[in-house]
Amino acid sequence: MKSSYNFCNKLFHGCGIAGMRLLDSGSVQQVVTSPPYGTMRDYGGHSFYFKSMANELWRVIKPGGIVCWHVQDQMTDGAESGESLRQCLYFLELGFRLPTNLTIEFSKYGKHSFRYGQPIQHVFVLSKGKPRVFSPIMDIPNDSAGRLHTYKEQLKKGIASRTVRINPFRKRGVHWSYSVGTHNTSDRVQHPALMPEILAHDLIRSWSKEGDLVLDPMSGGATTAKMAFLLNRRYLGFEINREYHDIAVARMQKTSEEAAKPKFNKRR
Ligand SMILES: C[S@@+](CC[C@H](N)C(=O)[O-])C[C@H]1O[C@@H](n2cnc3c(N)ncnc32)[C@H](O)[C@@H]1O
C-alpha cells in the first residue's frame, strides 16, 4: 500500500514522475521546483516530459496545496522560446489556479551583446483550489511607519472608529528583488543551475507550515530539501542524474550535521 509518510525526509535517485507515482493522491502540501529550461543545459541527456510531470503534480498535491514552478525561457536565435507561458497555460487547463505570478529579480545576471540583460525569472505559484496556507513576508519598509492611522470598521452594532499605529513593514508585492546572483547558495555545490537558497526559503515560508511535506520532483542539488529542513518542514526529492543526486545527499548530510551542533552565544 502507498504511504507518502514513508517517503519523508529522503532524497531518491530516479525520475520524479515515476517517484510521484509511488505517492498517495493529495498527500503533498507544497512543491518547489525548477524544470530544465529547454535545452539550455544538458543534465546527462535525460528527456523531460513536461505534461506527465504536470499531470502527476496535479494528482499528488493536496486540495489547497501549492506548486511553485520556477522557470526562465531559453533564448533561441535571439528570442525567448515562450515555453514557460505554454507550461503555465497547461497547468491552468489541468485545473490549477494562479493566485500569484511572481517575478524575481536578481542583482547579478548574464550580459548579452544582442539584447538587454535579463535579471528576471518567474515563479508561477499554482494552487489546487483556494490556498490552505498563506503567511506573507512583511519586509517592505512603510513610509509612514509609527504614525497613527484612523479607519472606520463596519460592526454588527454599527460603524466603529479605530486608530492603529502603522507597522514598520508591509507585505511584499509580486515582484521580489534579491541582491544576490541567480544561483546563490551559502555552501559550494557542484550543480550548474541551483535555485538561490533565499528564493526557496521565501517560497516555503509563504505557502507551507511547520511539519508539512515539501516535494521537489527535480531536486538537483537539493536546495528545496535544504530550506524545507531548516524551516522544520518534511522534505522529499527525486533527481534523475546520479552525480547530482550524490552531491545532494552529501549536502543534506552536512546541513543536518551543522544543524545538530550546539550553538553557543559569543561572550563579550
Ligand atoms: C534546474 S535544475 C534544478 C535545480 C534545483 N532546484 C536546485 O536548486 O538544486 C533541474 C534538475 O532536474 C533534473 N531532472 C530533469 N528531468 C528530471 C526527471 N524526470 N526527474 C527527476 N529529475 C529530473 C535535472 O537533472 C536537474 O538536476
Side-chain angles (χ1 to χ4, degrees), residues 57-268:
L57 286 172
W58 174 253
R59 189 186 66 77
V60 299
I61 207 80
K62 274 183 181 173
I66 295 282
V67 173
C68 298
W69 189 257
H70 171 231
V71 272
Q72 191 182 22
D73 273 328
Q74 179 174 16
M75 296 292 294
T76 310
D77 297 333
E80 297 195 14
S81 68
E83 191 55 26
S84 59
L85 297 174
R86 279 192 286 276
Q87 290 178 348
C88 185
L89 290 175
Y90 185 72
F91 280 121
L92 298 183
E93 271 174 41
L94 283 178
F96 278 105
R97 300 167 75 218
L98 183 63
T100 303
N101 185 354
L102 292 173
T103 52
I104 315 293
E105 183 170 357
F106 298 98
S107 60
K108 293 183 205 129
Y109 52 92
K111 306 276 185 295
H112 306 270
S113 54
F114 55 89
R115 63 177 177 112
Y116 292 119
Q118 173 54 295
I120 303 292
Q121 296 180 354
H122 294 271
V123 178
F124 300 124
V125 180
L126 302 146
S127 67
K128 191 173 188 175
K130 189 167 179 264
R132 183 180 74 92
V133 177
F134 176 49
S135 313
I137 299 174
M138 314 277 285
D139 62 357
I140 304 295
N142 244 332
D143 292 341
S144 23
R147 287 205 209 132
L148 293 176
H149 169 65
T150 303
Y151 65 98
K152 305 238 181 296
E153 193 181 15
Q154 179 72 53
L155 301 173
K156 273 188 191 158
K157 290 180 185 166
I159 292 175
S161 179
R162 295 202 188 283
T163 300
V164 291
R165 195 168 293 282
I166 295 177
N167 287 328
F169 294 98
R170 62 187 163 83
K171 202 189 325 183
R172 285 184 187 181
V174 292
H175 183 76
W176 295 2
S177 281
Y178 294 111
S179 57
V180 297
T182 46
H183 303 303
N184 188 265
T185 56
S186 60
D187 44 14
R188 286 177 177 271
V189 182
Q190 297 300 314
H191 186 285
L194 292 170
M195 181 185 290
E197 286 183 350
I198 182 73
L199 175 59
H201 175 280
D202 289 355
L203 294 170
I204 293 169
R205 188 199 162 297
S206 298
W207 283 287
S208 61
K209 289 189 181 150
E210 290 199 2
D212 280 341
L213 176 59
V214 180
L215 163 72
D216 187 346
M218 294 167 281
S219 51
T223 310
T224 295
K226 177 176 172 181
M227 292 299 118
F229 170 77
L230 294 175
L231 287 164
N232 298 320
R233 275 65 168 168
R234 293 176 289 136
Y235 66 84
L236 175 59
F238 299 101
E239 169 53 50
I240 206 161
N241 182 303
R242 176 94 233 182
E243 187 191 338
Y244 300 146
H245 167 73
D246 291 346
I247 288 168
V249 169
R251 187 184 190 191
M252 287 309 293
Q253 175 74 24
K254 193 166 165 244
T255 302
S256 60
E257 280 167 14
E258 276 172 12
K261 281 184 193 160
K263 312 247 176 326
F264 299 106
N265 289 333
K266 277 187 192 157
R267 281 207 184 147
R268 286 179 174 246

